[in-house]
């Protein structure tokens, strides 16, 4: 059984005034987070909850207010109002199965303490909201919408996609205008980020939810073209070219581009300078219906959940190991987002008209 939640530290009080975030959106955040904690995370008494937040943005204020309503007995700490050792001491009071929520305008730093990894090691459940400062104004409303948890959709479609991916011998992404990217190989066992942690060591992670991802077992069996309408720039912000950039892939490597931009060329040049060539690795099936090609947020790590296909450029991928890459030499994993007209597994279409149909 967990220890009783101590009183909040100085600076923990929070006004219900959330600036540009309207009251209706705070109410929506409350509903979404209540569903997430009950269904996806499985947080309930007698387990304690610790909410570490800051007050630098309206979106931070709105999410923290929503958590106050959902878990009123939680301990709330304003990260900017206390010393780092006070936060670490608060973590130390928690027992396995308790919940930590991090509501961050940027990303909290505690010297060498890798927060989420260390908390998972202690058996704690973790929800991370990061880089909220990159999503001002209306983007904050999109972010709140992205927190909605529909278990029938995420679990039903997510597990169905994984089953199709794991059984497929090949696949294809159709980016329109004749651009087709062919995966002429079976895929690695797909990983799920759908709010179903059955059989997993850790419960929680970076939010919002909504992704199934894999990569070709044989990376050199990937050939063709993909039209990229958004890519992650060097500051981890969304970069949207006026015209999609076409990447030409031969034997799993980027060998050319069409309609490129100086920023995209610079990103490729940085990868080549350190890795010699630009590999295409991750094949991500984004599922979050709050984001689309026309409905974006600036933070690339959040937008990665967009309903459609994203790919990664660079040799780095922490989940799948390949014999041609040494972990110390693989430095880059740049998310790029393909115009998605259709996705096919073993010749059967699983994505059409902006939705997954597995």
């Amino acid at each position: 059984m967990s220890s009783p939640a101590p009183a909040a530290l100085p600076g923990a009080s929070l006004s219900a005034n959330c600036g540009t975030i309207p009251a209706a959106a705070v109410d929506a955040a409350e509903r979404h987070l209540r569903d997430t904690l009950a269904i996806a995370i499985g947080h309930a008494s007698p387990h304690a909850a610790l909410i570490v937040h800051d007050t630098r943005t309206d979106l931070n204020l709105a999410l923290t207010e929503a958590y106050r309503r959902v878990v009123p007995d939680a301990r709330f700490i304003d990260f900017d109002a206390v010393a780092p050792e006070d936060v670490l001491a608060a973590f130390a009071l928690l027992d396995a199965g308790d919940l930590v929520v991090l509501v961050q305008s940027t990303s909290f730093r505690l010297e060498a303490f890798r927060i989420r990894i260390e908390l998972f090691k202690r058996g704690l459940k973790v929800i991370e909201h990061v880089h909220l400062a990159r999503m001002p104004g209306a983007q904050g409303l999109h972010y709140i919408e992205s927190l909605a948890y529909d278990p029938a959709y995420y679990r039903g479609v997510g597990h169905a996609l994984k089953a199709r991916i794991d059984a497929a011998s090949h696949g294809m992404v159709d980016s329109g205008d004749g651009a087709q990217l062919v995966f002429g190989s079976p895929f690695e066992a797909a990983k799920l980020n759908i709010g179903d942690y059955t059989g997993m060591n850790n419960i929680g992670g970076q939010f919002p939810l909504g992704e199934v991802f894999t990569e070709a077992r044989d990376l050199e069996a990937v050939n063709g073209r993909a039209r990229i309408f958004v890519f992650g720039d060097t500051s981890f912000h969304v970069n949207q070219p006026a015209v999609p950039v076409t990447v030409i892939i031969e034997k799993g490597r980027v060998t050319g581009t069409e309609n490129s931009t100086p920023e995209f060329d610079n990103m490729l040049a940085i990868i080549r300078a350190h890795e010699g060539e630009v590999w295409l690795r991750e094949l991500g099936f984004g599922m979050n219906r709050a984001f689309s090609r026309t409905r974006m947020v600036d933070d690339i790590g959040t937008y990665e959940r967009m309903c459609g296909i994203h790919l990664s450029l660079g040799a780095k991928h922490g989940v799948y190991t390949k014999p041609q890459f040494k972990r110390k030499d693989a430095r880059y994993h740049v998310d790029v987002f393909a115009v998605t007209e259709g996705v096919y597994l073993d010749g059967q279409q699983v994505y059409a008209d902006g939705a997954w149909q597995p």
Side-chain angles (χ1 to χ4, degrees):
M1 180 177 294
S2 303
S3 304
L9 291 175
S13 62
L14 176 66
S15 168
N17 178 12
C18 300
T20 60
I21 305 295
V26 180
D27 293 342
E30 177 187 355
R31 292 192 300 272
H32 301 335
L33 295 175
R34 194 177 300 279
D35 289 342
T36 294
L37 264 60
I39 304 170
I41 301 299
H43 174 71
S45 179
H47 285 291
L50 171 65
I51 318 296
V52 184
H53 64 98
D54 64 56
T55 60
R56 302 176 205 169
T57 75
D58 292 343
L59 183 54
N60 286 65
L61 295 172
L63 293 182
T64 306
E65 171 63 18
Y67 277 112
R68 284 190 178 279
R69 300 176 186 178
V70 175
V71 279
D73 294 333
R75 182 181 187 182
F76 286 76
I77 298 178
D78 182 343
F79 186 83
D80 294 331
V82 300
E85 51 267 28
D86 293 325
V87 179
L88 295 175
F91 292 154
L93 292 175
L94 298 172
D95 296 330
D98 289 345
L99 171 68
V100 175
V101 177
L102 306 169
V103 185
Q104 306 157 91
S105 57
T106 54
S107 182
F108 294 151
R109 292 286 183 264
L110 293 170
E111 297 180 354
F113 188 87
R114 299 170 300 171
I115 296 180
R116 183 171 61 183
I117 294 173
E118 295 301 325
L119 297 179
F120 277 150
K121 286 181 180 178
R122 301 179 185 187
L124 298 167
K125 300 175 179 180
V126 182
I127 293 177
E128 270 201 291
H129 303 282
V130 299
H131 303 303
L132 300 181
R134 295 178 184 168
M135 295 173 280
Q139 294 187 32
L141 304 184
H142 302 337
Y143 185 87
I144 287 173
E145 184 180 339
S146 78
L147 299 176
Y149 190 64
D150 179 348
Y153 169 68
Y154 279 125
R155 298 184 181 193
V157 173
H159 283 292
L161 272 176
K162 174 176 169 56
R164 294 291 295 272
I165 293 165
D166 291 352
S169 62
H170 61 277
M172 188 267 283
V173 176
D174 183 354
S175 283
D177 287 352
Q180 296 185 342
L181 186 61
V182 177
F183 294 76
S185 156
F187 298 96
E188 300 284 4
K191 303 298 183 181
L192 297 168
N193 180 11
I194 57 173
D196 182 358
Y197 302 101
T198 304
M200 296 186 184
N201 293 329
N202 303 321
I203 296 177
Q206 182 175 326
F207 277 59
L209 299 169
E211 182 184 6
V212 181
F213 65 90
T214 183
E215 70 178 25
R217 289 187 201 166
D218 178 4
L219 295 177
E220 292 195 328
V222 182
N223 295 277
R225 295 171 173 243
R227 296 169 64 226
I228 305 303
F229 71 92
V230 153
F231 64 94
D233 66 14
T234 54
S235 66
F236 304 101
H237 283 68
V238 161
N239 185 301
Q240 183 181 21
V243 175
V245 176
T246 298
V247 290
I248 302 167
I249 308 296
E250 297 178 1
K251 293 186 175 181
R253 302 157 173 93
V254 177
T255 59
T257 61
E258 296 174 357
N259 301 316
S260 192
T261 66
E263 294 84 359
F264 195 83
D265 289 341
N266 180 56
M267 180 266 291
L268 295 180
I270 290 171
I271 297 174
R272 289 194 175 102
H274 293 97
E275 297 183 351
E277 50 195 348
V278 181
W279 284 88
L280 186 148
R281 294 208 58 180
E282 180 178 345
L283 172 62
F285 298 66
M287 293 179 61
N288 199 305
R289 295 174 291 192
F291 306 131
S292 68
R293 185 177 171 185
T294 58
R295 203 162 190 260
M296 301 181 182
V297 290
D298 287 337
D299 178 54
I300 199 72
T302 297
Y303 188 61
E304 184 180 2
R305 315 300 193 215
M306 180 214 72
C307 193
I309 288 291
H310 62 271
L311 309 162
S312 74
L313 301 182
K316 183 178 181 180
H317 201 295
V319 175
Y320 301 113
T321 58
K322 290 289 198 290
Q324 62 265 52
F325 304 123
K326 295 181 180 178
R327 187 177 292 270
K328 65 180 180 64
D329 298 327
R331 295 181 57 177
Y332 293 98
H333 179 109
V334 179
D335 290 313
V336 299
F337 297 78
V339 176
T340 311
E341 298 292 339
V343 180
Y344 299 80
L345 295 172
D346 285 343
Q348 296 185 340
Q349 191 166 8
V350 296
Y351 182 97
D353 300 323
W356 295 106
Q357 302 169 1

